[in-house]
Amino acid sequence: MNKKLVVDILRRKTHHFLTISLVIMIVSFSMINFMSSYMFNQYEMINRDYLTNNNVKVIHVNGKAEGSSTGSIVPTDGEGINELLKAENLKEEAKAYPVYILPTIFDEKMEIGYSVMGISQELAFLIGDGCTLKDESICIKGPAQDRMEFNIPIIEEKDGGYSSENVKTMSMSAEAGATNENSILIHSIPGNNQAYMNEKQSLRMLESMFENSSNSFDYIKETQLDKVIVYVKDIKDVDTVGTLLKEKGYFTSYTFNSFENFSVNISSMQMILIILGVIFVLTSIVTAVLLLINFIRIQKKEMAILKLNGYRNEDVISIYTRLIVSTLQKVFIISLFIFVVCFFIDFIPISWSRFLLIIGMDLLILILTLIIVYFMGIRKIGRLDMMELLKKGKEFE
């Protein structure tokens, strides 16, 4: 029994129905490919620009309300904010850190000045790649050096201001990777030699700089404190933390400050994209399954004829399985060709990995479709006896 010949005969005999089904499935798969590409782009954009972007998770606290007047932020406000977060069960979601700005230090030749900021070592990842803020180190733009000499000014207080006539040499390892634009600096200064060190080391340097000052070190810390920043781990908690700080009288500045529930809406948009993607996949599977099962149902007479000519149930099932596999292969090849052409002419701006993922998804959909059609259509109908296959046809009457 030549099953291949029978499949070819059936394909020609059912040419019109299969052609229509083929076109519908190709259009369906092309649509899901384009929509998947679009949703992948949107999903990656939301992740890149919002969900995984540390810049939108940092809240700057620059001052506070004191009755009817305004006051400057002080080092103890960082501890106060952390206590507030703990009281509101937000201790694990956010944490406050003081940020100090130190007087300018210079290289060994007194030619290059560095604007130094002192921040917690826990926030090293906000500065740039290569910065660890470990002890006895400073993070600069580059290049990295094992040891680098710096001239630290000794500050003197004169006529109500600060001046410096003497310097002290300090040796530190220099890490490369500091940037002028990051989530710690709201306003960057082009060409500025920005440098960073951890909080403890910056305070030790301040003590050295103001060793001749008559003021207490607590006062020095307060004058050199630039702000307190609150880092929020998850974007969906930014609005909650920001609103809490504003209610407690703190002056805040952050990306979503002017948008109501923006972080929650971003998370919702991401979930909507995932749900839409699942709906598109399920719709494609259902469309293909209904078309092919309907095709199998109208083939009952042909199945009966095959059995009348000596073909067993397993033979009939095998023949129609080959026919459906052949049809799905055409759907995959043609829709893949369309997708590849659009990809290489940059009509679909997605990464190579996402491109392969969509192709793999197409293949998975076709395999699932074949499995469903086999068990719910081919195998079920192919096992019916001749009388059952013909009972609704004119031949039976």
Side-chain angles (χ1 to χ4, degrees):
M1 296 180 181
N2 193 335
K3 294 181 182 179
K4 185 177 183 303
L5 176 62
V6 175
V7 171
D8 291 336
I9 293 172
L10 288 173
R11 186 185 295 114
R12 289 195 295 268
K13 188 175 185 298
T14 58
H15 171 72
H16 295 294
F17 186 91
L18 281 180
T19 300
I20 294 172
S21 300
L22 193 69
V23 171
I24 294 174
M25 285 189 286
I26 289 171
V27 171
S28 175
F29 273 78
S30 295
M31 287 180 62
I32 195 173
N33 287 343
F34 294 140
M35 290 303 300
S36 297
S37 301
Y38 172 77
M39 286 188 288
F40 271 131
N41 274 331
Q42 293 299 307
Y43 185 87
E44 290 176 348
M45 181 194 72
I46 291 173
N47 269 290
R48 181 182 64 252
D49 295 342
Y50 300 105
L51 299 180
T52 59
N53 186 353
N54 288 315
N55 292 335
V56 302
K57 299 178 183 178
V58 173
I59 300 174
H60 297 252
V61 182
N62 305 295
K64 58 184 177 180
E66 296 179 344
S68 58
S69 61
T70 60
S72 301
I73 206 77
V74 295
T76 55
D77 283 320
E79 299 172 4
I81 291 173
N82 284 328
E83 289 298 321
L84 175 62
L85 294 172
K86 182 179 179 180
E88 297 293 329
N89 295 320
L90 293 169
K91 179 182 177 181
E92 300 300 324
E93 284 72 31
K95 186 176 180 180
Y97 304 87
V99 178
Y100 295 94
I101 291 185
L102 280 64
T104 302
I105 65 175
F106 293 86
D107 66 343
E108 186 178 12
K109 297 180 180 180
M110 297 293 289
E111 295 177 350
I112 302 175
Y114 295 90
S115 301
V116 181
M117 297 186 77
I119 63 172
S120 171
Q121 188 174 2
E122 295 177 16
L123 299 180
F125 65 95
L126 294 178
I127 299 172
D129 297 335
C131 292
T132 64
L133 299 185
K134 60 186 179 182
D135 287 337
E136 304 302 325
S137 71
I138 185 171
C139 190
I140 59 177
K141 288 182 180 180
Q145 299 182 42
D146 290 336
R147 302 306 294 177
M148 188 172 177
E149 299 292 330
F150 292 92
N151 288 313
I152 311 303
I154 305 301
I155 307 298
E156 298 179 5
E157 299 166 348
K158 290 183 179 180
D159 302 324
Y162 295 115
S163 65
S164 175
E165 295 180 356
N166 300 313
V167 296
K168 180 184 293 186
T169 302
M170 183 176 291
S171 178
M172 292 178 285
S173 65
E175 300 176 327
T179 59
N180 286 344
E181 297 182 358
N182 51 55
S183 54
I184 297 172
L185 290 171
I186 298 178
H187 306 292
S188 65
I189 303 175
N192 186 46
N193 290 311
Q194 193 64 51
Y196 303 87
M197 60 178 60
N198 69 48
E199 180 186 347
K200 293 180 180 179
Q201 182 163 308
S202 68
L203 294 179
R204 290 197 298 267
M205 184 175 286
L206 272 178
E207 281 189 288
S208 182
M209 288 177 170
F210 288 89
E211 60 184 16
N212 297 329
S213 175
S214 59
N215 293 312
S216 68
F217 187 61
D218 287 339
Y219 175 79
I220 300 298
K221 284 174 60 178
E222 186 174 329
T223 57
Q224 300 304 128
L225 179 69
D226 180 47
K227 59 196 167 189
V228 170
I229 62 173
V230 180
Y231 179 75
V232 186
K233 294 179 181 178
D234 197 318
I235 187 176
K236 70 177 185 295
D237 297 316
V238 172
D239 287 322
T240 302
V241 175
T243 301
L244 175 64
L245 293 174
K246 285 184 280 189
E247 289 176 351
K248 297 301 179 179
Y250 290 102
F251 303 156
T252 62
S253 175
Y254 57 100
T255 304
F256 302 147
N257 202 14
S258 302
F259 301 92
E260 186 176 354
N261 297 323
F262 190 80
S263 58
V264 176
N265 292 336
I266 287 294
S267 298
S268 299
M269 285 175 60
Q270 186 188 42
M271 184 58 63
I272 289 171
L273 286 174
I274 294 173
I275 293 172
L276 285 176
V278 173
I279 290 174
F280 276 117
V281 170
L282 292 178
T283 301
S284 296
I285 293 175
V286 170
T287 300
V289 166
L290 291 178
L291 283 169
L292 295 175
I293 288 180
N294 186 52
F295 167 72
I296 298 299
R297 284 174 179 167
I298 65 176
Q299 288 292 301
K300 288 182 178 180
K301 184 181 73 173
E302 283 72 13
M303 288 183 178
I305 294 172
L306 288 173
K307 291 184 178 184
L308 186 62
N309 283 277
Y311 286 87
R312 298 172 301 160
N313 289 346
E314 290 73 16
D315 296 327
V316 173
I317 291 172
S318 176
I319 288 169
Y320 277 90
T321 301
R322 291 188 182 189
L323 182 59
I324 297 302
V325 168
S326 175
T327 302
L328 293 178
Q329 283 179 338
K330 289 182 179 179
V331 172
F332 179 71
I333 292 171
I334 296 174
S335 59
L336 175 62
F337 175 77
I338 296 171
F339 190 49
V340 168
V341 169
C342 293
F343 176 77
F344 282 105
I345 64 174
D346 291 331
F347 183 74
I348 303 175
I350 59 171
S351 63
W352 179 250
S353 60
R354 297 300 186 189
F355 172 78
L356 294 177
L357 182 61
I358 292 174
I359 293 175
M361 182 182 65
D362 288 348
L363 193 58
L364 179 62
I365 291 173
L366 289 172
I367 292 172
L368 289 175
T369 301
L370 177 62
I371 293 171
I372 295 171
V373 172
Y374 176 81
F375 285 101
M376 296 183 64
I378 300 172
R379 192 166 177 267
K380 181 179 178 181
I381 298 174
R383 288 184 171 183
L384 298 175
D385 57 43
M386 283 188 289
M387 297 301 290
E388 185 70 21
L389 292 169
L390 292 172
K391 70 178 183 179
K392 292 184 179 180
K394 293 182 179 179
E395 292 81 1
F396 181 77
E397 297 174 359

